[in-house]
């Protein structure tokens, strides 16, 4: 056992290339073969520690799972399962997590899970608990996940920084979002953020995405750390970090500005893969740099032009779509895209067809509405889809009736050209002091009438922890503005949480305030 364990310890510290070479040498070595034969003869006489550590070393060194030796050790583990102490259980769990499912492995895993259920309340070692959470995985029954949570909670006061990092990853592997554990772990990570290796920073953000854990303070602390040490990081590392933030819907404003400067100063590192990630990040988070924004867009357009000879049709569509969302269509790439569209080169399999159709429609809408030659129409045709509103808008409907006195004073569920939809529309006189009946303005169209478009958007349409709209919503607001609407954007969840009298005052301020027309 000591020989096998030492071989594994030496082996795991080698590079991947060295491991491939050494693995072949180890498995073919005469001494290793004799060692395995001796282990097979003595399998049932091994102590519990030697048993599990030998199995772990063999599996880790790449001994095939279907060999008599590995299968024998797995069966002996089944026989001696109740004799294993907590440390042995942890090692065995790690080993099984790296093995493929077969009859013996599945039986041992089932037995191990039953043993953990019985023992979990007596386990005091946080490292063993973390390892069990990580190895048992997302398919663990909910009641056992709760038992593991309770066991960790008993030891949470003595949580160290390294344990806080490991706990994040263990909960992600278990796919169990435990706020009583995550919140103190998050605080510990924030306090020691300068000691977190880059790879772990990314794993933490990925774990938060898996667990749907949205902690703005944690994300801000990680982003501030990357921003304050930006000179230490490779540009590709910053791209990876920004991509992880974008997946969470979190907008690290200062870091995005700093990175935009790096792009304009040295754009040569932007190969096609990196360029597509940058375009996706900035468009989804609706981030336009505060300084040199025109130079930033020109640089992105230039990089995209260089990539045109090797870019696929779908990648070209995604790139142009992202820049369209930001209000900066790239003319040369757009011409290339339209040529491909005219030749039906954008037609794809059914699973991508709908998405591509939507993106192409958005690009064509941007071509028309964002064009400098586009003028605000004197009349916008609207269609009232239904007098019924969805359940999450019923409160807004009631408040508007209470505020304006009549359903005839507003439109609801309105469909506009370019497939845009607004929740409610109100029309006001030119001084913005009086709400006008819908019928009167329809019978006598007047260009001086002001149109208010109410958008009650879900929290997912905003960048995390802010009222900053994400890309698609920001583009919709820009286009509604071009069509002559003054957009009033409301976070629906916060509106739903208001008392009725507060909601009335809130909408009253929105309707009669000059701020409503400043967008």
């Amino acid at each position: 056992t000591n020989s096998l364990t030492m071989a594994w310890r030496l082996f795991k510290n080698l590079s991947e290339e060295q491991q491939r070479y050494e693995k072949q040498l180890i498995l073919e070595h005469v001494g290793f073969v004799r060692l395995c034969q001796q282990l097979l003869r003595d399998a049932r006489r091994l102590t519990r520690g030697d048993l599990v550590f030998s199995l772990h070393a063999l599996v880790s060194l790449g001994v095939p799972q279907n060999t008599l030796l590995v299968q024998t050790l797995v069966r002996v583990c089944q026989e001696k399962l109740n004799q294993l102490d907590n440390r042995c259980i942890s090692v065995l769990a790690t080993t099984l997590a790296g093995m493929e499912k077969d009859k013996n492995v599945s039986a041992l895993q089932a037995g191990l899970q039953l043993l953990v259920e019985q023992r979990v309340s007596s386990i005091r070692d946080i490292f063993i608990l973390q390892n069990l959470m990580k190895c048992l995985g997302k398919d663990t029954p909910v009641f056992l996940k709760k038992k593991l949570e309770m066991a960790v909670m008993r030891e949470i006061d003595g949580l160290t920084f390294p344990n806080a990092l490991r706990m994040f990853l263990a909960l992600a592997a278990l796919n169990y979002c435990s706020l009583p554990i995550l919140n103190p772990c998050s605080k510990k990570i924030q306090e020691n953020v300068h000691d977190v290796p880059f790879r772990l920073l990314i794993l933490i953000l990925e774990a938060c995405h898996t667990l749907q854990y949205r902690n703005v303070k944690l994300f801000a602390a990680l982003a501030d750390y990357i921003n304050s040490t930006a000179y230490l990081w490779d540009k590709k590392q910053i791209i990876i970090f920004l991509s992880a933030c974008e997946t969470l819907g979190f907008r690290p404003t200062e870091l995005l500005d700093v990175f935009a400067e790096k792009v304009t100063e040295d754009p040569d590192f932007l190969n096609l893969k990196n360029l597509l990630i940058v375009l996706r990040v900035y468009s989804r988070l609706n981030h336009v740099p505060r300084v040199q924004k025109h130079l930033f867009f020109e640089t992105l357009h230039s990089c995209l032009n260089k990539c045109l000879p090797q870019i696929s049709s779908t990648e070209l569509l995604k790139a142009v779509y992202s820049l369209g969302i930001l209000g900066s269509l790239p003319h040369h790439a757009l011409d290339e895209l339209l040529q491909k569209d005219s030749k039906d080169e954008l037609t794809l399999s059914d699973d991508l067809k709908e998405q591509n159709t939507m993106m192409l429609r958005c690009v064509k809408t941007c071509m028309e509405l964002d064009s400098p030659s586009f003028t605000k129409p004197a009349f916008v045709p609207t269609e009232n889809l239904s007098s019924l509103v969805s359940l999450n808008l019923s409160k807004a409907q009631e408040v508007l009736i209470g505020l304006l006195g009549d359903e005839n004073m507003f439109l609801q569920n309105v469909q506009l050209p370019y497939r845009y939809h607004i929740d409610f529309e109100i029309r006001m006189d030119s001084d913005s002091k009086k709400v006008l009946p819908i019928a009167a303005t329809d019978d006598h169209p007047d260009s001086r009438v002001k149109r208010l478009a109410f958008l009650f958007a879900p929290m997912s349409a905003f960048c995390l922890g802010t009222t900053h709209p994400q890309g698609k919503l920001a583009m919709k607001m820009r286009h509604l503005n071009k069509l002559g609407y003054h957009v009033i954007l409301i976070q629906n969840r916060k509106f739903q949480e208001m008392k009725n009298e507060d909601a009335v005052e809130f909408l009253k301020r929105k309707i009669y305030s000059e701020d409503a027309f400043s967008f």
Side-chain angles (χ1 to χ4, degrees):
T1 300
N2 290 340
S3 300
L4 287 171
T5 304
M6 182 53 71
W8 159 237
R9 283 179 182 164
L10 294 169
F11 180 79
K12 71 177 181 180
N13 291 324
L14 300 175
S15 66
E16 281 187 34
E17 191 175 333
Q18 286 176 311
Q19 282 186 359
R20 282 194 295 271
Y21 175 68
E22 290 290 341
K23 179 181 171 181
Q24 196 65 30
L25 291 179
I26 291 171
L27 296 182
E28 293 175 356
H29 197 282
V30 177
F32 185 75
V33 173
R34 281 202 301 269
L35 193 64
C36 289
Q37 288 170 345
Q38 185 181 344
L39 190 59
L40 182 60
R41 286 196 304 271
D42 297 340
R44 282 181 166 74
R45 293 202 296 273
L46 291 172
T47 65
R48 60 192 182 186
D50 288 344
L51 177 64
V52 295
F53 276 100
S54 295
L55 178 61
H56 177 261
L58 288 170
V59 171
S60 302
L61 286 169
V63 174
Q65 187 175 317
N66 60 357
T67 56
L68 179 61
L69 174 59
V70 172
Q71 291 295 322
T72 299
L73 291 177
V74 168
R75 286 197 297 273
V76 175
C77 284
Q78 289 179 47
E79 294 167 10
K80 295 190 174 185
L81 194 56
N82 288 324
Q83 299 172 27
L84 301 185
D85 60 15
N86 293 341
R87 183 165 176 250
C88 290
I89 289 172
S90 178
V91 174
L92 183 58
T94 305
T95 307
L96 292 177
M99 297 178 75
E100 294 177 9
K101 292 277 194 296
D102 64 27
K103 186 179 176 182
N104 286 325
V105 169
S106 296
L108 183 53
Q109 279 180 324
L112 182 65
Q113 187 172 299
L114 287 171
L115 187 62
V116 171
E117 286 174 30
Q118 296 166 9
R119 297 264 193 95
V120 68
S121 58
S122 66
I123 299 174
R124 292 287 180 266
D125 189 321
I126 197 105
F127 181 79
I128 290 176
L129 288 168
Q130 288 168 344
N131 202 44
L132 289 172
M133 292 162 74
K134 190 175 173 183
C135 297
L136 289 172
K138 61 183 180 180
D139 295 328
T140 306
V142 175
F143 76 88
L144 183 51
K145 291 180 181 181
K146 288 184 181 295
K147 280 189 172 185
L148 287 163
E149 178 187 32
M150 294 304 296
V152 172
M153 286 302 298
R154 285 195 297 271
E155 311 300 323
I156 202 76
D157 291 339
L159 193 71
T160 62
F161 168 59
N163 278 336
L165 287 173
R166 285 194 290 266
M167 187 56 71
F168 248 93
L169 306 184
L171 284 167
L174 198 63
N175 199 12
Y176 186 66
C177 186
S178 168
L179 294 181
I181 297 175
L182 285 169
N183 288 338
C185 286
S186 170
K187 192 174 178 182
K188 190 71 75 173
I189 291 169
Q190 289 172 59
E191 292 168 357
N192 298 273
V193 67
H194 290 273
D195 297 322
V196 184
F198 181 79
R199 188 181 66 85
L200 279 177
L201 286 175
I202 301 305
L203 290 176
I204 288 168
L205 292 176
E206 289 174 351
C208 289
H209 176 63
T210 300
L211 296 169
Q212 297 185 330
Y213 177 62
R214 303 292 184 257
N215 187 323
V216 177
K217 287 184 179 179
L218 173 63
F219 302 158
L222 300 184
D224 289 345
Y225 167 56
I226 293 290
N227 185 42
S228 64
T229 56
Y231 59 91
L232 295 174
W233 307 109
D234 183 81
K235 295 185 188 78
K236 290 178 183 176
Q237 287 179 305
I238 299 178
I239 288 177
I240 292 169
F241 183 83
L242 289 175
S243 179
C245 288
E246 176 263 330
T247 304
L248 291 162
F250 175 70
R251 177 175 170 247
T253 311
E254 290 183 13
L255 183 59
L256 286 163
D257 282 340
V258 167
F259 185 73
E261 286 179 30
K262 289 181 179 289
V263 168
T264 53
E265 288 167 6
D266 177 27
D268 292 340
F269 75 96
L270 278 182
N271 57 24
L272 178 57
K273 180 184 175 184
N274 290 337
L275 176 63
L276 290 172
I277 295 172
V278 169
L279 290 173
R280 189 189 75 231
V281 167
Y282 280 80
S283 63
R284 187 192 167 195
L285 298 179
N286 179 30
H287 187 85
V288 176
R290 282 177 290 189
V291 294
Q292 295 187 316
K293 70 174 184 179
H294 296 298
L295 180 58
F296 177 64
F297 286 133
E298 284 171 15
T299 305
L300 293 178
H301 291 184
S302 175
C303 291
L304 181 56
N305 290 340
K306 287 177 185 174
C307 294
L308 287 179
Q310 79 236 45
I311 199 168
S312 71
S313 299
T314 304
E315 288 169 337
L316 177 61
L317 177 56
K318 286 178 179 177
V320 175
Y321 169 70
S322 294
L323 285 162
I325 284 177
L326 289 165
S328 178
L329 282 174
H331 300 300
H332 186 41
L334 179 61
D335 291 341
E336 188 89 12
L337 180 70
L338 295 176
Q339 284 178 27
K340 288 180 181 289
D341 181 41
S342 65
K343 297 174 186 174
D344 283 334
E345 291 180 21
L346 297 176
T347 306
L348 286 165
S349 55
D350 290 341
D351 56 333
L352 292 172
K353 190 173 182 181
E354 188 177 339
Q355 184 188 10
N356 278 17
T357 304
M358 179 277 295
M359 287 194 289
L360 189 60
R361 187 172 64 244
C362 277
V363 168
K364 291 179 177 179
T365 300
C366 290
M367 283 173 59
E368 191 171 338
L369 294 182
D370 291 331
S371 168
S373 61
F374 182 82
T375 54
K376 186 175 81 171
F379 174 73
V380 179
T382 61
E383 182 184 349
N384 203 6
L385 290 177
S386 168
S387 58
L388 297 173
V389 295
S390 59
L391 191 61
N392 65 342
L393 291 175
S394 57
K395 180 176 180 176
Q397 182 188 41
E398 290 171 18
V399 170
L400 283 172
I401 292 172
L403 183 60
L404 304 176
D406 195 332
E407 270 192 21
N408 298 318
M409 301 300 285
F410 61 89
L411 287 173
Q412 55 201 17
N413 206 9
V414 183
Q415 187 68 46
L416 301 177
Y418 307 99
R419 296 205 181 189
Y420 281 129
H421 170 270
I422 56 180
D423 297 317
F424 299 97
E425 178 182 332
I426 289 176
R427 297 172 189 172
M428 302 189 77
D429 64 356
S430 55
D431 296 327
S432 307
K433 292 181 178 176
K434 184 180 178 184
V435 177
L436 305 173
I438 296 297
T441 52
D442 279 345
D443 293 341
H444 306 285
D446 186 342
S447 60
R448 292 171 298 175
V449 169
K450 291 186 176 178
R451 291 170 175 247
L452 273 66
F454 285 80
L455 301 180
F456 287 80
M459 299 299 282
S460 59
F462 298 87
C463 292
L464 192 65
T466 71
T467 55
H468 184 79
Q470 290 189 12
K472 286 170 74 173
L473 178 56
M475 177 180 68
K476 178 178 179 178
M477 292 170 71
R478 185 175 76 238
H479 288 166
L480 289 178
N481 196 238
K482 289 287 185 79
L483 291 171
Y485 282 92
H486 302 287
V487 180
I488 297 177
L489 180 62
I490 297 165
Q491 289 185 336
N492 195 29
R493 194 175 83 182
K494 292 195 174 180
F495 182 78
Q496 297 294 336
E497 291 168 357
M498 291 180 187
K499 295 177 182 175
N500 272 13
E501 54 269 30
D502 294 334
V504 170
E505 283 301 314
F506 174 77
L507 287 189
K508 188 176 179 180
R509 285 197 304 273
K510 289 287 183 184
I511 293 169
Y512 295 106
S513 166
E514 283 299 317
D515 292 342
F517 306 115
S518 64
F519 175 75

